[in-house]
Amino acid sequence: MKIGDDVVIKPGARICVVEGGALSIGNNLFMNSGSSITVLGETAIGDRVLFGPNAMVFDHDHDYSSAKPAVTYKLGHVPIGDDVWLCAGSIVTRDTSVGDRSIVAANAVVCSNLPQNSVAAGVPAVAKKQILEWS
């Protein structure tokens, strides 16, 4: 696990990296209470990323392809770019990416790659608007 400078993790936020998982976090991350990052595969979070309350990132999900009673996982990769805002209750799932300077709206579920400079909303999340200018 690599963590940059000026990272703020509020009480009640959670980061879990299972043995064999790889997490890198850039500079100026802010994780609000109730937010979480759970890593079994590989997750890379850029600089100046904001997690709203209860925002979640998962780089894995359950593998139900077998009738075996044991729980197995599908591991993936989740890159989150620079200057991203994951609003309250949003979820980023396995093998998806969030482009630089993007916003994931409250309660949206990211199930496919989001381009940079986008505002995404819905379940599944889709880009609803392009951000043309940042101040």
Side-chain angles (χ1 to χ4, degrees):
M1 180 167 42
K2 296 189 320 188
I3 298 179
D5 296 325
D6 300 316
V7 170
V8 175
I9 301 171
K10 298 299 275 184
R14 183 177 78 94
I15 296 175
C16 176
V17 181
V18 173
E19 186 175 344
L23 172 64
S24 66
I25 295 174
N27 299 318
N28 301 104
L29 174 84
F30 179 86
M31 286 185 71
N32 213 322
S33 59
S35 61
S36 66
I37 303 168
T38 306
V39 179
L40 277 69
E42 184 178 347
T43 298
I45 298 174
D47 295 330
R48 298 170 304 281
V49 174
L50 303 174
F51 279 66
N54 303 310
M56 295 180 277
V57 173
F58 300 98
D59 66 2
H60 62 283
D61 57 22
H62 293 277
D63 183 357
Y64 296 105
S65 63
S66 170
K68 295 177 187 176
V71 175
T72 58
Y73 296 100
K74 293 180 183 178
L75 305 183
H77 177 69
V78 175
I80 296 175
D82 296 335
D83 304 301
V84 169
W85 180 14
L86 303 177
C87 296
S90 62
I91 300 172
V92 179
T93 63
R94 175 180 66 90
D95 286 338
T96 62
S97 64
V98 179
D100 293 342
R101 299 171 304 281
S102 291
I103 299 170
V104 178
N107 298 313
V109 179
V110 178
C111 299
S112 61
N113 297 336
L114 297 177
Q116 65 183 16
N117 300 315
S118 63
V119 177
V123 179
V126 294
K128 303 282 188 179
K129 178 179 176 181
Q130 285 297 111
I131 300 169
L132 301 177
E133 186 176 318
W134 282 86
S135 49

